[in-house]
């Protein structure tokens, strides 16, 4: 019986870590598509360099984790956890971010707009609060509009560094604003408020609408 349990555990571990490697997702638009709000140079560096680095480092960390699990090396597994969290969060966050943006993003649909009005009073107030919280982040991080399934309401939250919203707060991410300096510094210098204000001009509301519908289960 114990031998059977060991085989089952071994197969479970193997299934957990036998997966295809993460890959850099293609952008759904050209690097220059978001100009003049976000320059082609920023988009190219942000996507092909920064996001690609998170993907590569995540794959390396997961491979090392696979080896540590196979050896029963718990110390190494614990030591690798921050790298998986950081690079995995960077991959998750940016994969959402690219889809959250578009040169032709539509507008909030009736369902999302009603929820925004219910929770914030108006879309202008939601943007104001999201902007204020995002601008106030100390150092690098993300500002988010998320959905709380427990309270069935929209929430604004911020996450430090590359901490993923759902794993950190339990909120389902709908729209995120990246305020790492590499996301805006070449164009907006140190004036983060100008970047945050401008990014609302390229929000892909069609994507946000879709994420909201999925979050509420409709």
């Amino acid at each position: 019986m114990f031998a059977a349990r060991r085989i089952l555990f071994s197969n479970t571990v193997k299934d957990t870590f036998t997966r295809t490697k993460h890959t850099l997702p293609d952008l759904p638009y050209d690097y220059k598509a978001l100009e003049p709000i976000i320059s082609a140079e920023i988009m190219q560096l942000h996507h092909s360099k920064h996001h690609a680095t998170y993907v590569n480092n995540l794959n390396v960390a997961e491979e090392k984790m696979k080896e540590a699990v196979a050896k029963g090396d718990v110390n190494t597994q614990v030591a690798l956890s921050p790298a998986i969290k950081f690079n995995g969060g960077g991959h998750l966050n940016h994969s959402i971010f690219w889809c959250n943006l578009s040169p032709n993003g539509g507008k909030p649909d009736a369902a999302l707009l009603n929820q925004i009005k219910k929770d914030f009073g108006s879309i202008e107030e939601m943007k104001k609060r999201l902007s204020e919280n995002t601008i106030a982040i100390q150092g690098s991080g993300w500002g988010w509009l998320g959905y709380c399934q427990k309270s069935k309401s929209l929430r604004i939250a911020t996450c430090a560094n590359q901490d993923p919203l759902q794993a950190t707060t339990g909120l389902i991410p709908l729209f995120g604003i990246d305020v790492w300096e590499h996301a805006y510094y070449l164009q907006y210098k140190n004036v983060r408020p100008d970047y945050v204000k401008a990014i609302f001009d390229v929000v892909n509301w069609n994507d946000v609408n879709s994420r909201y519908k999925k979050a509420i289960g409709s």
Side-chain angles (χ1 to χ4, degrees):
M1 181 174 68
F2 291 110
R5 286 180 179 175
R6 283 197 296 271
I7 292 171
L8 177 61
F9 176 75
S10 177
N11 288 338
T12 299
V13 169
K14 185 182 294 184
D15 290 342
T16 300
F17 288 96
T18 301
R19 57 168 71 93
T20 58
K21 288 189 175 182
H22 304 283
T23 58
L24 181 68
D26 293 331
L27 289 185
Y29 39 75
D30 293 333
Y31 285 134
K32 63 182 180 180
L34 303 181
E35 290 185 334
I37 305 303
I38 304 177
S39 70
E41 182 182 16
I42 287 177
M43 291 299 297
Q44 183 172 10
L45 289 170
H46 198 171
H47 175 258
S48 69
K49 301 298 182 182
H50 291 279
H51 189 174
T53 297
Y54 297 130
V55 171
N56 293 337
N57 288 343
L58 176 60
N59 285 327
V60 170
E62 286 192 342
E63 185 63 30
K64 291 181 179 178
M65 180 68 81
K66 176 183 175 181
E67 295 172 0
V69 170
K71 295 177 181 177
D73 185 351
V74 178
N75 283 326
T76 297
Q77 292 175 50
V78 172
L80 286 168
S81 295
I84 291 176
K85 178 183 178 182
F86 179 78
N87 292 292
H91 181 38
L92 288 171
N93 291 340
H94 285 88
S95 295
I96 295 170
F97 185 62
W98 309 132
C99 294
N100 273 171
L101 304 178
S102 172
N104 302 296
K107 60 183 179 180
D109 62 15
L112 178 58
L113 188 57
N114 287 338
Q115 187 74 58
I116 290 173
K117 290 179 178 178
K118 176 182 177 182
D119 296 325
F120 300 103
S122 67
I123 190 169
E124 290 76 17
E125 180 63 19
M126 182 276 289
K127 290 180 179 179
K128 177 175 178 290
R129 289 175 55 183
L130 177 56
S131 296
E132 289 174 347
N133 280 267
T134 302
I135 291 166
I137 292 172
Q138 294 185 346
S140 301
W142 292 73
W144 290 98
L145 175 66
Y147 182 76
C148 177
Q149 290 183 314
K150 185 175 182 179
S151 65
K152 297 182 179 180
S153 63
L154 298 173
R155 301 281 183 84
I156 288 171
T158 60
C159 294
N161 300 314
Q162 293 296 351
D163 291 357
L165 181 68
Q166 191 163 359
T168 304
T169 68
L171 299 176
I172 296 175
L174 304 182
F175 172 61
I177 303 175
D178 184 353
V179 288
W180 280 67
E181 286 190 342
H182 61 242
Y184 64 89
Y185 197 86
L186 288 177
Q187 187 171 354
Y188 293 89
K189 306 305 179 188
N190 63 328
V191 190
R192 180 185 286 180
D194 286 356
Y195 159 72
V196 172
K197 179 181 179 181
I199 205 167
F200 283 100
D201 290 338
V202 288
V203 175
N204 185 358
W205 287 109
N206 294 327
D207 182 64
V208 181
N209 292 334
S210 177
R211 293 178 188 278
Y212 171 69
K213 289 178 180 177
K214 185 177 180 180
I216 65 175
S218 64

